[in-house]
Amino acid sequence: MRNAHISSVMTLGEPFRQDGPAVYDFGTQTVTARVRDIIPVMMRHRLTPPPDETYSLHRKLSGAFLLCSKLGSRVDTKKVFAEETGGYVFG
């Protein structure tokens, strides 16, 4: 279960990876399908439901990915991330 959660979070972060494409093409992304495939593992092995905030965050992220996918959006996600985090460098 822990590996499934880690995998889902790392998958959701792919558009923001420094070694990713300069412009992320949401029209061809497979993030939502890959995360959806992991959900049964998380549900089957969880001991308690996650906090309500987790559900809210997942719904928002899923909605944003699906909307961008339907629109065929191509976004410089790394630039957006840098603007939103104020240029903070992790690590």
Side-chain angles (χ1 to χ4, degrees), residues 26-73:
F26 281 91
T28 61
Q29 61 86 20
T30 61
V31 169
T32 50
R34 289 183 286 146
V35 171
R36 183 184 61 235
D37 291 344
I38 298 170
I39 290 173
V41 174
M42 291 186 274
M43 295 296 290
R44 187 170 44 252
H45 298 289
R46 72 180 186 186
L47 300 175
T48 61
D52 290 339
E53 297 83 7
T54 303
Y55 286 120
S56 178
L57 179 60
H58 280 224
R59 278 193 295 272
K60 289 175 183 169
L61 285 173
S62 295
F65 267 81
L66 289 172
L67 177 62
C68 289
S69 177
K70 294 286 183 190
L71 293 173
S73 300

Side-chain angles (χ1 to χ4, degrees), residues 66-91:
L66 289 172
L67 177 62
C68 289
S69 177
K70 294 286 183 190
L71 293 173
S73 300
R74 295 175 45 82
V75 179
D76 184 347
T77 50
K78 289 181 273 191
K79 179 181 175 188
V80 172
F81 186 78
E83 290 172 357
E84 292 303 316
T85 59
Y88 180 80
V89 177
F90 297 92

